[in-house]
Amino acid sequence: MHPHPTTAGRSLRLRLQARPRSARLLRERLFLWLDELGANDDEIFDLSLASTEAFTNAVEHPHEPSSRIIDVEGTISEGTITITIRDHGSWRHHRQRVQGGLGFPLMPQLMNTVEVRRQPAGTSITLQRQLSE
């Protein structure tokens, strides 16, 4: 089997357009990368769902973004997957839609750790999950 060129190696780097339909491409690339790393089906599902929720937040929440690109970085170290989703705008405190999403309450249920870092130049959400042996 030949690894997909964008997922070859132990890390993943994506630059995606900040629009909802880019989430599908994110899920496809994550599946390839996580499968290549030996994650099981449940781990792939959980990591993909949490990452997609974080990506959706990065599409919806940036206020006056300096770029309409969302950066996604994935690494593995000692069996722990780390995925960081980063936007390029300040945090929007008010939602664009009336109903609240379930992303933030859901992410900690699927991951070992979830860290949100808000900075003037952008917000990053870092997700970590230990893979089973």
Side-chain angles (χ1 to χ4, degrees):
M1 178 173 118
H2 299 288
H4 191 282
T6 60
T7 61
R10 308 292 285 171
S11 64
L12 173 74
R13 291 193 189 279
L14 301 171
R15 299 202 87 193
L16 300 170
Q17 293 182 359
R19 56 184 184 196
R21 68 179 181 207
S22 295
R24 179 179 177 189
L25 179 59
L26 172 61
R27 282 190 302 272
E28 290 170 358
R29 298 294 169 88
L30 278 172
F31 175 85
L32 291 171
W33 180 64
L34 293 167
D35 184 58
E36 190 175 289
L37 294 176
N40 67 39
D41 290 345
D42 289 339
E43 292 164 339
I44 292 171
F45 179 84
D46 290 352
L47 282 155
S48 295
L49 179 56
S51 298
T52 301
E53 291 294 333
F55 180 85
T56 300
N57 284 328
V59 169
E60 289 185 2
H61 289 289
H63 180 66
E64 298 179 7
S66 61
S67 172
R68 295 298 300 157
I69 298 293
I70 296 173
D71 293 307
V72 179
E73 295 179 24
T75 60
I76 184 169
S77 177
E78 298 180 14
T80 298
I81 299 285
T82 302
I83 299 172
T84 300
I85 292 94
R86 184 174 295 112
D87 66 46
H88 299 277
S90 59
W91 187 260
R92 180 190 311 266
H93 291 286
H94 302 291
R95 295 186 164 278
Q96 289 181 312
R97 55 190 163 107
V98 176
Q99 291 110 350
L102 298 176
F104 276 115
L106 183 63
M107 283 183 250
Q109 301 299 317
L110 302 171
M111 299 293 103
N112 296 118
T113 62
V114 176
E115 178 185 331
V116 178
R117 297 186 74 200
R118 296 178 183 119
Q119 299 175 323
T123 300
S124 65
I125 300 174
T126 300
L127 310 167
Q128 286 192 316
R129 168 90 178 247
Q130 180 72 36
L131 297 181
S132 59
E133 294 294 320

